[in-house]
Amino acid sequence: MRKPSRMPIGLRLANTAKTVGRAFDDTLAAAGGSSPVWLVLLTLKTQAMASQREIAAAVGIQGATLTHHLNGMERDGLITRTRDPENRRVHQVRLTGQGEEMFHRLATAAQAHDERLREGFTEDELETLEKLLTRLQANVTAPREGA
Amino acid sequence: MRKPSRMPIGLRLANTAKTVGRAFDDTLAAAGGSSPVWLVLLTLKTQAMASQREIAAAVGIQGATLTHHLNGMERDGLITRTRDPENRRVHQVRLTGQGEEMFHRLATAAQAHDERLREGFTEDELETLEKLLTRLQANVTAPREGA
DNA sequence: TATTGTTATACTCTATAACTATA
DNA sequence: TATAGTTATAGAGTATAACAATA
């Protein structure tokens, strides 16, 4: 006879994500950034030639929401937006020097956060955790019969 | 030689929580509720005699934020607030009949969500996941030398 | 017509500061 | 003075709908 999990796994996940996410937000804020700004910068550096549609998809937000963040980032001198001469509908988003600096500052902060997070975990445990999280996400992403 | 985790675990956690959380929000919304309302109702049913301070702590929000939600829930007829005659500073929050109904509706929705989430997981895996999440949270909750 | 992105507007959750009532 | 809670205000993140520009 085994004692079942006493708490819904979704609630456990939400609690953990809330606590960890707030700690991360604090870390980013101390470095002068925020979570969406960091995700946008990371996407720009990782997927160099991304259109705004692609960036929004990568960050997991709507296009209009991305525009909102890009407006702020442009105002703060982190990015520039210019039209693509090949297809003038597309706006090319590029990092400025300040944007590069911000990226590196936030990358450092993010790395410190992640090292703190990993403390006491073995590589195997991290891999296990990552796989379990992926499966959890898949369960919710998979199309349902009813939908 | 082992291949290290390719993605920061914090990012993996945030992604999963975002996807799963949104699915849960949709589920609750379809049942006429929301995440904070569900957490408040759950706390009221679980810790019967909670003061607002305790409810706020259990839900993980500030007192003023809780007041905001309770105002909405009172307006919607889910709860009543009366002063405790023993200590008139304390407000006793109680579920109305409608509040009970809402609780059961959301509980059903939450259970369905969690069953979907657990699909394909063994009890052992869920327990492992729960323990790993708890350790992750502890890493961020623990006091730092620098703080 | 379809696609890319912006503008206008608004909603939800959250928070801090100042306040009232009570002890 | 200290505690419980509320009010006023604001800010961050997100979203939808309507629109403009381009293809």
Side-chain angles (χ1 to χ4, degrees):
Chain A
M1 187 170 153
R2 126 180 320 288
K3 192 172 159 200
S5 247
R6 346 98 200 82
M7 196 185 196
I9 193 65
L11 190 50
R12 193 88 258 312
L13 174 66
N15 278 344
T16 303
K18 190 175 198 169
T19 305
V20 172
R22 282 183 181 180
F24 187 44
D25 288 346
D26 290 348
T27 300
L28 290 179
S34 71
S35 177
V37 166
W38 163 240
L39 291 176
V40 169
L41 290 175
L42 186 59
T43 304
L44 285 176
K45 291 289 282 189
T46 306
Q47 298 161 41
M49 288 291 95
S51 73
Q52 289 191 201
R53 280 188 63 79
E54 293 169 312
I55 298 170
V59 175
I61 57 180
Q62 294 304 117
T65 306
L66 177 62
T67 295
H68 169 75
H69 292 302
L70 291 181
N71 287 345
M73 293 171 73
E74 194 169 42
R75 181 174 18 77
D76 293 346
L78 302 181
I79 58 155
T80 58
R81 280 182 283 192
T82 51
R83 284 178 181 278
D84 183 344
E86 307 284 304
N87 177 347
R88 289 183 44 76
R89 283 178 305 191
V90 174
H91 287 203
Q92 289 178 331
V93 181
R94 263 181 303 227
L95 286 189
T96 63
Q98 277 186 68
E100 293 280 348
E101 278 174 40
M102 179 65 85
F103 171 76
H104 289 299
R105 215 171 327 132
L106 297 186
T108 303
Q111 195 185 339
H113 169 80
D114 227 68
E115 274 164 17
R116 188 176 179 207
L117 221 46
R118 288 170 197 264
E119 247 167 51
F121 282 84
T122 66
E123 262 311 313
D124 275 356
E125 285 173 334
L126 288 173
E127 205 177 314
T128 299
L129 175 54
E130 193 174 331
K131 281 181 181 162
L132 291 172
L133 288 176
T134 301
R135 283 171 56 199
L136 221 46
Q137 187 163 359
N139 273 359
V140 148
T141 309
R144 276 175 295 188
E145 309 89 53
Chain B
M1 186 169 151
R2 126 178 318 289
K3 191 173 158 198
S5 247
R6 344 90 200 91
M7 195 185 197
I9 193 66
L11 189 50
R12 192 91 257 314
L13 173 67
N15 278 344
T16 303
K18 189 175 199 169
T19 305
V20 172
R22 282 182 180 180
F24 188 43
D25 288 346
D26 291 347
T27 300
L28 291 178
S34 71
S35 176
V37 166
W38 164 240
L39 291 176
V40 169
L41 291 174
L42 186 58
T43 304
L44 285 174
K45 290 291 282 190
T46 307
Q47 297 160 41
M49 288 290 96
S51 73
Q52 290 190 199
R53 281 187 61 80
E54 293 169 313
I55 298 170
V59 175
I61 56 180
Q62 295 303 117
T65 306
L66 177 63
T67 295
H68 169 75
H69 293 302
L70 290 181
N71 288 344
M73 292 171 73
E74 194 171 41
R75 181 174 17 77
D76 294 345
L78 302 180
I79 58 155
T80 58
R81 280 182 284 193
T82 51
R83 284 177 181 278
D84 183 345
E86 306 284 304
N87 177 348
R88 291 184 42 76
R89 284 179 304 192
V90 174
H91 287 204
Q92 290 178 330
V93 181
R94 262 181 304 230
L95 286 189
T96 63
Q98 276 185 66
E100 292 280 349
E101 278 174 39
M102 178 64 84
F103 171 78
H104 289 298
R105 213 169 330 132
L106 297 186
T108 303
Q111 196 186 339
H113 169 79
D114 228 68
E115 274 164 16
R116 188 175 179 208
L117 222 45
R118 289 171 196 263
E119 248 167 51
F121 283 84
T122 67
E123 262 311 314
D124 275 355
E125 284 173 332
L126 288 173
E127 206 176 313
T128 300
L129 176 55
E130 193 174 331
K131 283 180 182 163
L132 291 172
L133 288 176
T134 301
R135 283 170 57 198
L136 221 47
Q137 187 162 359
N139 273 0
V140 148
T141 309
R144 275 174 296 185
E145 311 90 51

